[in-house]
Amino acid sequence: MAYEMLITDVSDYVGLIKLNRPDALNALNAQLLTELADVLKAWDRDDNVRAIVLTGSEKAFAAGADIKEMSDKSSVDMFVSDYFTEQTDAVGRTRKPIIAAVSGFALGGGCELAMMCDFIICSDTAKFGQPEINLGVMAGMGGTQRLTRLVGKSKAMEMNLTGRFMDAEEADRSGLVSRVVPAKELLDEALKTAGKIAEKSQIAVMAVKESVNRAYEMTQREGILFERRVFHSLFATEDQSEGMAAFAEKRTPKFRDK
Ligand code: CO8
């Protein structure tokens, strides 16, 4: 399917989504997010996609929600349309791992979209921020919640209250990103990382994703119990037998997602 605001490609079981609104620094509008939700839903059911990379341009992952699209909306418009909720929920509902590859600006909804992904690899030019306060509003897609969990209260509070940007080095140090790579290598690194995930048993990959995400929703005691039960259940899979037999036989496992 052709998209107007995304460029998509599937190669070696990795799906690549490139946000493509260069004139607006990939500002997130309803059309772009609807296209994104569509492709994620389709790829979640597609056996040819086992891991996903979401990226933008070198200058901007995404400079936020589209301010021009939002500016005339009333509170009632936002409430009744439940603005962006359905589209962004699709990111959270995707069971296959999504890596955000961030270069340049990841601001407002752009930073929030990156944080909805499973992890972020960024380039040395990345700048993260929640500058909505400068527009007389505040974050509305997780910028006060996910950012606080990722970098702690002080940094999240300062960024949300002042609109200060965080550079790549600080984002790495603060735990917002998994690692920083030179801008020219970003996409290759993200694709290579997704490729590594694509080689694993998809059942185990989904179980890991579900289990790590539970760490944000449960007490540690409940989370550890959840993890243990999921771990036990993986012993019902052929991939567990294959993975452990391959280790003993000193060969590469052939996972079949069974
Ligand atoms: N929305 C719409 N257009 C944008 C946006 C945006 N967020 N960001 C940039 N653009 C457009 C500019 O208007 C400009 O277009 P034009 O050439 O037609 O004037 C073009 O992109 C290039 O931008 P600049 O000329 O400003 O580029 P600079 O390199 O000078 O500056 C910046 C780059 C610093 C990124 C600057 O563009 C900027 O500050 N952008 C806005 C950042 C911002 O405030 N983001 C937060 C938006 S609000 C939000 O994200 C709320 C999310 C919650 C939604 C919740 C729904 C429930």
Side-chain angles (χ1 to χ4, degrees), residues 72-144:
D72 291 336
K73 297 212 184 292
S74 69
S75 174
V76 172
D77 295 334
M78 298 299 262
F79 179 70
V80 171
S81 69
D82 209 4
Y83 200 59
F84 289 173
T85 302
E86 198 191 325
Q87 294 98 321
T88 52
D89 277 358
V91 182
R93 276 197 302 269
T94 304
R95 299 192 68 201
K96 295 174 184 173
I98 310 174
I99 303 172
V102 173
S103 200
F105 297 110
L107 304 178
C111 184
E112 293 168 305
L113 177 62
M115 292 188 291
M116 283 174 211
C117 297
D118 295 303
F119 61 97
I120 303 172
I121 300 177
C122 78
S123 81
D124 45 11
T125 65
K127 287 188 176 61
F128 298 89
Q130 297 294 157
E132 292 93 334
I133 193 83
N134 298 326
L135 302 168
V137 290
M138 62 178 277
M141 294 184 345
T144 66

Side-chain angles (χ1 to χ4, degrees), residues 18 40 56 60 65 67 88 90 126 135 142 153 155 160 175-176 199 201 213 217 219 236:
K18 191 172 186 301
L40 288 174
I67 300 166
T88 52
L135 302 168
K153 179 183 167 189
K155 281 183 187 289
N160 275 284
L176 177 56
E199 289 169 4
S201 161
N213 282 331
E217 314 290 345
T219 62

